Amino acid sequence: NNLKINIAIDGPAGAGKSTIARLVAKELSYIYVDTGSMYRAVTWYMLKHEIMPEFSDLVLQHAQNMVIELMPGADGQKVLVDGQDVSPLIRSREVNGMVSFYAQIEGLRKHLVALQQHMAARKGVVMDGRDIGTTVLPDAELKIFMTASVKERALRRFKELSDAQGLTLEQLEKDIAERDRIDEGREISPLRCADDAIVLDTTQMDIPQVVETIVSYCRTHTNS
Ligand code: CDP
Ligand code: CDP
């Protein structure tokens, strides 16, 4: 059965979206699209050029002239801006702290959403973010809203840090909760569970369990 569907995965920071989305895509031979990396790449670029989010017209103008490319990398997805691999640069604490402010800009969202919709036009895409099920791919055949307790999410992120850079678990928990608050509270396509999404609380689930659950939902779908 070669029928391919689109899978939308949304949820708060550290829920496991990108890890799981990538593994699900691998298992199904689908294409993985990490939309957060696009907002991060734009944020990295604007910080580098000292264009603050208040100057939304300028942000949009520069974003429209940026060439953003996503490609598969050894661990995760690589992001290129105007041909430069910026993947190692977009996960900094600076970008973490600013990305939600740029992500509130309506024109920027419209621009990135259009790129994302284009990437998913031929189906067989697993896309993760905040507004995929609600705005980017409202017709996705399978929508997952992935959550976990903020404690567990902070702990997962903490374990990722090779050197904590003086960052405590408590600080990380605060940072994450603050970003969630901005993402949930913004006016334009906030982080929200789509009405037709399946809620998956992964607090007590390990990675293979989550992957298996989503793959089996997908198989049910494509076999019916
Ligand atoms: O991986 P993590 O959950 O920390 O974040 P991410 O998925 O890389 O997204 C970074 C930020 O980009 C989020 O906190 C949102 O502010 C924004 N974002 C968004 O607004 N819409 C999306 N579809 C994806 C990300
Ligand atoms: O993309 P998002 O911010 O939602 O989360 P992530 O970056 O994919 O996952 C954050 C961390 O949690 C990674 O180190 C994953 O390996 C880990 N994780 C986990 O321990 N258990 C899960 N069920 C899912 C992710």
Side-chain angles (χ1 to χ4, degrees):
N1 194 329
N2 288 323
L3 187 67
K4 290 196 169 180
I5 64 169
N6 280 336
I7 304 177
I9 303 183
D10 292 297
K17 300 180 301 297
S18 39
T19 306
I20 304 296
R22 182 161 48 88
L23 292 170
V24 167
K26 195 173 165 197
E27 177 87 20
L28 299 170
S29 301
Y30 277 25
I31 291 166
Y32 165 47
V33 176
D34 172 0
T35 63
S37 72
M38 300 170 80
Y39 289 92
R40 287 174 177 276
V42 169
T43 300
W44 168 81
Y45 178 100
M46 298 303 156
L47 292 175
K48 183 177 142 169
H49 294 274
E50 298 183 20
I51 304 166
M52 292 299 105
E54 292 76 12
F55 300 97
S56 52
D57 290 347
L58 206 53
V59 169
L60 180 58
Q61 194 187 313
H62 279 261
Q64 281 170 333
N65 287 315
M66 284 169 68
V67 179
I68 305 172
E69 293 167 284
L70 303 183
M71 43 184 68
D75 44 17
Q77 188 158 62
K78 279 204 298 189
V79 195
L80 276 61
V81 171
D82 298 328
Q84 182 193 351
D85 182 3
V86 298
S87 325
L89 307 171
I90 64 168
R91 314 259 160 214
S92 68
R93 195 167 178 224
E94 257 179 308
V95 171
N96 283 342
M98 289 301 290
V99 60
S100 291
F101 296 104
Y102 290 98
Q104 289 178 316
I105 300 172
E106 180 169 22
L108 177 63
R109 297 202 70 87
K110 276 205 179 126
H111 174 63
L112 294 183
V113 166
L115 294 178
Q116 292 154 8
Q117 287 173 334
H118 183 73
M119 292 175 186
R122 271 177 293 178
K123 302 267 182 194
V125 167
V126 186
M127 190 177 283
D128 85 307
R130 300 292 184 287
D131 60 340
I132 311 306
T134 54
T135 306
V136 182
L137 304 177
D139 297 328
E141 289 80 357
L142 177 60
K143 299 180 184 178
I144 306 289
F145 192 80
M146 195 179 288
T147 61
S149 71
V150 67
K151 254 208 167 61
E152 171 66 19
R153 292 188 281 117
L155 192 64
R156 288 175 184 176
R157 275 291 153 84
F158 192 69
K159 287 183 185 157
E160 272 178 353
L161 303 173
S162 49
D163 124 50
Q165 303 154 350
L167 212 60
T168 64
L169 181 58
E170 289 68 35
Q171 190 57 53
L172 209 55
E173 201 176 316
K174 258 195 210 148
D175 287 0
I176 285 183
E178 175 62 8
R179 188 142 59 87
D180 290 348
R181 194 186 61 77
I182 303 172
D183 290 342
E184 285 163 6
R186 71 171 170 239
E187 215 157 304
I188 321 296
S189 40
L191 168 62
R192 193 169 63 69
C193 179
D195 295 334
D196 51 350
I198 298 170
V199 178
L200 207 56
D201 184 336
T202 70
T203 308
Q204 317 263 21
M205 291 169 87
D206 65 14
I207 295 170
Q209 280 179 311
V210 183
V211 172
E212 193 37 55
T213 304
I214 297 177
V215 167
S216 73
Y217 282 137
C218 177
R219 296 234 154 95
T220 312
H221 221 287
T222 46
N223 289 330
S224 60

